[in-house]
């Protein structure tokens, strides 16, 4: 229902476009259909609206009016100047700007053609039958390769000299695709033709000589099948290539200076980085225009990285990697902010919604939550007054018989009605894993009964259900016992009670505060437009919906 209304609002006048109709005005400031759509989107994400449930647009409009009043009050209080809000807004603007920049500079330019997909498919799905020998030194590998070139049997040499797991097979690895070999190996192997031998290759497991025994072309497929197989990995590959190209361009056009001497001094251990000497060091290591990476900031990066990732036999290279990563991030940030996406109407509206979200959150923290008093006595009193919220789930002890033939199920039911023992029939007739237990499922909470629930709720202890069915199976269940109504122990669920207590008090205080603000505000409802939306999408809604105002 909410999804349909979102579509309707979008169709009425174009969501987030000039000239959209207001649903209300608060002190002359419009609450627009775009605001209403945003509220409905949030509800759709956070609340389950069941089919047939009454949806009252005026409820949403009133909530929007209350929120607008609270936001205006937050502005009057100067909460938009709060450092927390300012920092969050900068982070959000930067993050969303980077997302747009990536789309424009990388994603939109990394499209792939049918010809590229076909070539990539043929490369990736081609199979090559290889034979390999792996040894420990480059010299030994060169000597063995010379013997193969002179006519010696490679399989015999593999059995005699190779140190890998394919030694006993004469080095035979069968047919492999590119993805099954390390990058350093496949780049040498796959361009070769059948019968050719590679030069000595430095591989992760040692030094290798590889012979191409046979090549098998990729299976023939139409372009749609190829697209499903390779479009995603090929596009990812092109995006990575495009990203490197874009970053290189940013670097080439930027004035970047690195203090190499200072970089050499920097520590590369958490113990050193935590030292006060380094943490307070303001000397700049890197400068990009006005952006600076200080020694202290560099050491903070070390603290944010798991110690296991700092293990390296090449500290200078690792420090350089940290610096390069920082430079890349800053170059992207600078480029994204220089696009000034906030001048775009949709982007600025997105920033507006986020700022209002932050203001409501800060207002709630500063004004609402600060008024809520919490103590064990207050929580216990709340628990006593709302005990029905804290009922333990009812437990049911049931047995079941499962068969796959409806006629057999009805025959078993007649036997039960004639006095046959349920457990005996379950053990001898049931086709499920509970048969050996006489169909005993033990105690089950009501939320675990699944499709049995309606039938079990209707049974008295000792009664059998009628034949129930789901899919190709037929069931009969017996209610053996049912737990008494009981309540959760207060001490065990105190945290849940606390959360409920705070939520209820928060909602009351929020509503009361908004009601007080309404008394001094000029609020006007656009009844005709809300009625139009109601009649067009919710024709069964009562006209009294608008009588609340």
């Amino acid at each position: 229902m909410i999804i349909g209304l979102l579509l309707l609002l979008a169709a009425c006048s174009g969501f987030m476009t000039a000239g959209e109709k207001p649903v209300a005005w608060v002190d002359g400031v419009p609450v627009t259909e775009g605001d209403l759509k945003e509220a409905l989107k949030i509800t759709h994400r956070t609340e389950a609206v069941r089919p047939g449930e009454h949806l009252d647009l005026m409820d949403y409009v009133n909530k929007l009016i209350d929120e607008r009043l609270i936001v205006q009050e937050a502005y009057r209080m100067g909460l938009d100047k709060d450092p927390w809000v300012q920092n969050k807004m900068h982070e959000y603007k930067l993050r969303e700007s980077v997302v747009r920049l990536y789309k424009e500079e990388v994603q939109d330019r990394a499209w792939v053609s049918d010809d590229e997909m076909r070539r990539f498919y043929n490369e990736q799905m081609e199979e090559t039958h290889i034979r390999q020998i792996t040894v420990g030194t480059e010299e030994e590998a060169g000597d063995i390769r010379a013997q193969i070139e002179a006519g010696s049997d490679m399989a015999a040499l593999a059995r005699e000299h190779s140190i890998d797991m394919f030694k006993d097979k004469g080095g035979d690895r069968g047919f492999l695709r590119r993805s099954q070999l390390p990058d350093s190996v496949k780049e040498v192997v796959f361009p070769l033709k059948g019968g050719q031998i590679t030069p000595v290759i430095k591989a992760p497991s040692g030094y290798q000589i590889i012979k191409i025994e046979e090549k098998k072309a990729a299976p023939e497929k139409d372009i749609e099948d190829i697209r499903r197989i390779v479009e995603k990995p090929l596009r990812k590959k092109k995006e990575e290539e495009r990203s490197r190209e874009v970053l290189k361009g940013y670097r080439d056009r930027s004035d970047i200076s690195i203090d190499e001497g200072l970089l050499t001094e920097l520590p590369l251990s958490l113990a050193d980085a935590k030292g006060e000497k380094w943490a307070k060091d303001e000397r700049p290591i890197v400068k990009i225009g006005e952006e600076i990476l200080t020694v202290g900031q560099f050491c903070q990066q070390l603290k944010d990285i798991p110690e296991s990732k700092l293990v390296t036999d090449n500290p200078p290279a690792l420090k350089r990697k940290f610096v390069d990563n920082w430079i890349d991030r800053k170059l992207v940030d600078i480029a994204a902010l220089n696009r000034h996406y906030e001048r775009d109407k949709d982007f600025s509206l997105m920033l507006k919604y986020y700022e209002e979200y932050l203001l409501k959150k800060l207002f709630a923290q500063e004004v609402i939550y600060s008024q809520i008093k919490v103590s064990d006595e207050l929580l216990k009193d709340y628990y006593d007054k709302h005990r029905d919220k804290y009922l333990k789930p009812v437990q049911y002890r049931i047995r079941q018989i499962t068969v796959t033939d409806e006629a057999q199920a009805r025959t078993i039911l007649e036997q039960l009605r004639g006095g046959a023992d349920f457990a005996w029939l379950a053990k001898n007739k049931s086709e499920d894993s509970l048969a050996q237990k006489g169909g005993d499922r033990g105690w089950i909470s009501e939320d675990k009964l699944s499709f049995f629930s309606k039938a079990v709720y209707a049974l008295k202890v000792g009664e059998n259900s009628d034949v129930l069915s789901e899919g190709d199976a037929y069931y009969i269940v017996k209610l053996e016992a049912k737990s008494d109504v009981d309540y959760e122990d207060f001490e065990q669920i105190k945290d849940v009670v606390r959360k409920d207590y705070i939520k209820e008090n928060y909602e009351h205080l929020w509503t009361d505060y908004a009601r007080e603000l309404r008394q001094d505000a000029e609020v006007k409802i656009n009844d005709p437009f809300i009625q139009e939306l109601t009649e067009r999408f919710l024709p069964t809604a009562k006209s009294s919906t608008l009588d609340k105002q």
Side-chain angles (χ1 to χ4, degrees), residues 496-514:
V496 176
V497 175
R498 181 191 300 272
K499 187 180 296 184
D500 292 343
Y501 168 81
I502 291 174
K503 181 175 184 290
E504 186 172 307
N505 276 273
Y506 167 83
E507 290 172 350
H508 286 317
L509 288 167
W510 180 279
T511 302
D512 290 345
Y513 206 107

Side-chain angles (χ1 to χ4, degrees), residues 474-510:
Y474 298 87
Y475 305 89
I476 302 167
V477 296
K478 178 182 180 180
L479 179 58
E480 296 260 304
K482 179 180 176 182
S483 66
D484 294 329
V485 173
D486 196 8
Y487 299 93
E488 299 282 4
D489 180 70
F490 171 72
E491 291 298 331
Q492 297 294 320
I493 61 165
K494 187 187 289 187
D495 288 343
V496 176
V497 175
R498 181 191 300 272
K499 187 180 296 184
D500 292 343
Y501 168 81
I502 291 174
K503 181 175 184 290
E504 186 172 307
N505 276 273
Y506 167 83
E507 290 172 350
H508 286 317
L509 288 167
W510 180 279

Side-chain angles (χ1 to χ4, degrees), residues 30 77 230:
M77 293 170 63
V230 305

Side-chain angles (χ1 to χ4, degrees), residues 365-381:
Q365 194 65 44
E366 298 285 329
V367 179
I368 305 297
Y369 286 119
S370 62
Q371 298 183 52
I372 301 174
K373 307 301 180 186
V374 180
S375 68
D376 283 355
E377 292 76 18
L378 288 170
L379 294 179
K380 184 65 167 62
D381 182 63

Side-chain angles (χ1 to χ4, degrees), residues 115-380:
D115 287 344
E116 286 176 308
M117 282 189 282
R118 192 175 292 281
R119 282 197 302 273
F120 188 74
Y121 167 80
N122 287 337
E123 287 178 359
Q124 298 302 312
M125 303 304 287
E126 176 190 60
E127 294 184 317
T128 300
H129 181 188
I130 68 172
R131 189 180 301 276
Q132 72 182 36
I133 297 174
T134 307
V135 292
T137 67
E138 186 174 9
E139 182 180 1
E140 183 181 7
D143 180 60
I144 292 172
R145 188 182 188 283
Q147 293 181 54
I148 297 170
E149 289 280 13
S152 295
D153 181 54
M154 185 171 179
L157 289 171
R159 292 188 182 94
E160 181 180 353
H161 299 284
S162 191
I163 59 174
D164 61 37
M165 61 189 295
F166 304 101
K167 172 179 180 175
D168 293 340
K169 295 182 179 180
D172 191 350
R173 293 196 59 181
F175 282 94
L176 299 174
R177 292 177 181 164
R178 286 176 183 262
S179 60
Q180 294 172 287
L181 289 172
D183 290 341
S184 59
V185 175
K186 65 186 177 186
E187 298 303 328
V188 179
V189 167
F190 277 86
L192 300 181
K193 298 177 181 178
Q196 290 187 308
I197 301 172
T198 67
V200 173
I201 303 171
K202 176 68 173 72
S205 55
Y207 292 88
Q208 292 183 334
I209 312 102
I210 297 175
K211 180 181 180 183
I212 314 305
E213 298 281 2
E214 183 184 355
K215 304 199 80 168
K216 189 186 296 183
E220 285 291 333
K221 289 186 179 293
D222 62 40
I223 191 61
E224 291 305 316
D225 288 336
I226 290 175
R227 179 175 287 108
R228 282 191 289 271
I229 296 169
V230 305
E231 184 175 27
K232 190 173 180 179
L234 178 55
R235 188 175 179 85
K236 180 181 178 182
K237 179 173 179 287
K238 293 195 72 171
E239 285 183 11
E240 290 171 351
E241 293 171 352
R242 175 64 186 163
S243 294
R244 288 192 290 270
E245 180 184 330
V246 169
L247 280 171
K248 183 179 183 304
Y250 291 162
R251 279 178 174 264
D252 291 344
R253 295 191 295 271
S254 300
D255 182 16
I256 302 170
S257 61
I258 302 174
D259 189 329
E260 300 289 352
L262 185 53
L263 184 60
T264 303
E265 291 180 34
L266 295 180
L268 196 63
S269 74
L270 285 177
D272 290 339
K274 288 178 181 177
E276 192 171 325
K277 167 193 171 184
W278 297 107
K280 293 184 176 181
D281 196 325
E282 296 295 325
R283 288 178 295 170
I285 305 167
V286 188
K287 292 181 181 179
I288 309 175
E290 297 181 358
E291 296 287 345
I292 295 173
L293 174 66
T294 67
V295 172
Q297 291 167 340
F298 177 90
C299 290
Q300 183 60 48
Q301 288 186 40
L302 292 184
K303 296 178 187 178
D304 295 339
I305 296 171
E307 194 161 7
S308 60
K309 293 190 176 182
L310 293 175
V311 177
T312 177
D313 58 0
N314 191 351
L318 187 56
K319 286 192 282 190
R320 173 63 65 177
K321 182 179 179 180
F322 286 163
V323 167
D324 285 341
N325 286 342
W326 183 86
I327 291 172
D328 288 344
R329 286 198 308 273
K330 286 301 175 184
L331 288 173
V332 171
D333 291 351
I334 292 167
L337 292 176
N338 284 341
R339 293 290 175 98
H340 293 290
Y341 292 115
E342 70 276 7
R343 295 171 183 168
D344 174 78
K345 179 176 172 57
D346 287 354
F347 194 89
S348 65
L349 193 56
M350 185 172 65
L351 292 176
K352 165 185 169 289
Y353 282 136
Y354 187 67
E355 184 177 52
E356 291 184 356
Y357 159 76
L358 294 175
L359 290 174
K360 286 182 286 186
K361 189 172 182 179
L362 185 58
F363 181 89
Q365 194 65 44
E366 298 285 329
V367 179
I368 305 297
Y369 286 119
S370 62
Q371 298 183 52
I372 301 174
K373 307 301 180 186
V374 180
S375 68
D376 283 355
E377 292 76 18
L378 288 170
L379 294 179
K380 184 65 167 62

Side-chain angles (χ1 to χ4, degrees), residues 351-517:
L351 292 176
K352 165 185 169 289
Y353 282 136
Y354 187 67
E355 184 177 52
E356 291 184 356
Y357 159 76
L358 294 175
L359 290 174
K360 286 182 286 186
K361 189 172 182 179
L362 185 58
F363 181 89
Q365 194 65 44
E366 298 285 329
V367 179
I368 305 297
Y369 286 119
S370 62
Q371 298 183 52
I372 301 174
K373 307 301 180 186
V374 180
S375 68
D376 283 355
E377 292 76 18
L378 288 170
L379 294 179
K380 184 65 167 62
D381 182 63
Y382 181 85
Y383 168 81
D384 291 337
K385 290 177 179 178
H386 301 81
R387 291 193 78 193
D388 286 348
K389 292 176 64 174
Y390 306 111
L391 282 169
K392 287 184 178 179
V394 177
Q395 300 284 321
Y396 298 86
R397 180 75 182 269
I398 67 172
R399 291 183 187 270
Q400 75 181 52
I401 295 173
T402 309
V403 294
T404 53
D405 180 77
E406 183 178 8
Q408 184 185 12
R410 299 208 172 276
T411 298
I412 293 171
L413 182 61
E414 288 303 315
Q415 292 174 312
L416 290 170
R417 288 172 176 170
D421 180 66
F422 195 102
W424 187 88
L425 284 173
K427 192 167 185 178
N428 290 276
K429 302 291 185 180
S430 189
E431 300 173 20
D432 62 25
S433 60
L434 297 171
Q436 293 305 310
K437 296 180 180 181
D440 187 5
R441 289 191 62 178
W443 287 96
I444 304 174
S445 61
E446 52 189 329
D447 59 326
K448 298 292 195 305
L449 286 172
S450 186
F451 82 101
F452 288 158
S453 58
K454 187 174 180 180
V456 171
Y457 295 159
L459 296 176
K460 295 179 181 178
V461 173
E463 288 184 339
N464 304 319
S465 72
D466 198 349
V467 174
L468 310 173
S469 65
E470 184 181 54
D472 297 328
Y474 298 87
Y475 305 89
I476 302 167
V477 296
K478 178 182 180 180
L479 179 58
E480 296 260 304
K482 179 180 176 182
S483 66
D484 294 329
V485 173
D486 196 8
Y487 299 93
E488 299 282 4
D489 180 70
F490 171 72
E491 291 298 331
Q492 297 294 320
I493 61 165
K494 187 187 289 187
D495 288 343
V496 176
V497 175
R498 181 191 300 272
K499 187 180 296 184
D500 292 343
Y501 168 81
I502 291 174
K503 181 175 184 290
E504 186 172 307
N505 276 273
Y506 167 83
E507 290 172 350
H508 286 317
L509 288 167
W510 180 279
T511 302
D512 290 345
Y513 206 107
R515 186 182 299 116
E516 288 182 18
L517 292 173

